[in-house]
């Protein structure tokens, strides 16, 4: 996979092993990621930092704690709302969308 934002050679560990890649859709665009990596990591590797929009203000929200405590990375994944992207392993063919009040309302 040709992503500039990924660490492929670590200064201490050296070159990292090759990992199987999968494709997924993010808001209609086909992207590639590493199998089983968190959805949030796959998106960050493509430079996508806004994962949802705040319900009260509509402001962009992104990855915050990255360990599943804060709920800032809630997304709509395979049609399910409020899925934490930092804990969800990437699979072939996943459908991923940013979560917002508008997106939630359009799913009803």
């Amino acid at each position: 996979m040709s992503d500039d934002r990924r660490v492929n050679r670590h200064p201490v560990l050296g070159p990292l092993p090759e990992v199987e890649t999968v494709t997924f859709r993010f808001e209609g665009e086909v992207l590639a990621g590493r199998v089983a990596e968190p959805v949030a990591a796959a998106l960050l590797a493509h430079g996508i930092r806004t994962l949802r929009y705040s319900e009260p203000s509509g402001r962009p929200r992104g990855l915050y704690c990255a360990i599943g405590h804060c709920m800032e990375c809630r997304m709509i994944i395979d049609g399910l709302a409020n899925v934490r992207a930092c804990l969800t392993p990437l699979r072939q063919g996943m459908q991923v969308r940013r979560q917002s009040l508008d997106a939630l309302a359009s799913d009803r």
Side-chain angles (χ1 to χ4, degrees):
M1 182 175 0
S2 61
D3 281 282
D4 308 348
R5 295 172 179 90
R6 291 191 179 275
V7 174
N8 292 309
R9 181 173 179 74
H10 190 274
V12 175
L13 303 174
L16 300 179
E18 289 292 319
V19 178
E20 179 185 350
T21 61
V22 294
T23 58
F24 66 103
R25 286 193 175 273
F26 173 67
E27 300 192 343
E29 182 181 354
V30 177
L31 301 177
R34 294 177 175 170
V35 69
E37 75 179 332
V39 170
L43 293 171
L44 285 172
H46 287 280
I48 298 165
R49 296 178 53 193
T50 299
L51 304 180
R52 71 179 187 93
Y53 295 95
S54 171
E55 291 83 359
S57 68
R59 289 186 172 163
R61 308 302 291 175
L63 191 61
Y64 183 68
C65 77
I67 57 173
H69 287 282
C70 72
M71 303 294 286
E72 288 298 318
C73 65
R74 289 174 287 148
M75 299 189 82
I76 300 170
I77 299 179
D78 290 336
L80 297 172
N82 296 315
V83 178
R84 289 178 284 187
C86 72
L87 297 178
T88 304
L90 189 64
R91 289 179 285 99
Q92 176 65 36
M94 281 183 132
Q95 303 286 323
V96 180
R97 292 191 313 149
R98 288 183 177 108
Q99 186 165 305
S100 67
L101 280 179
D102 292 340
L104 293 171
S106 71
D107 285 349
R108 293 185 184 149

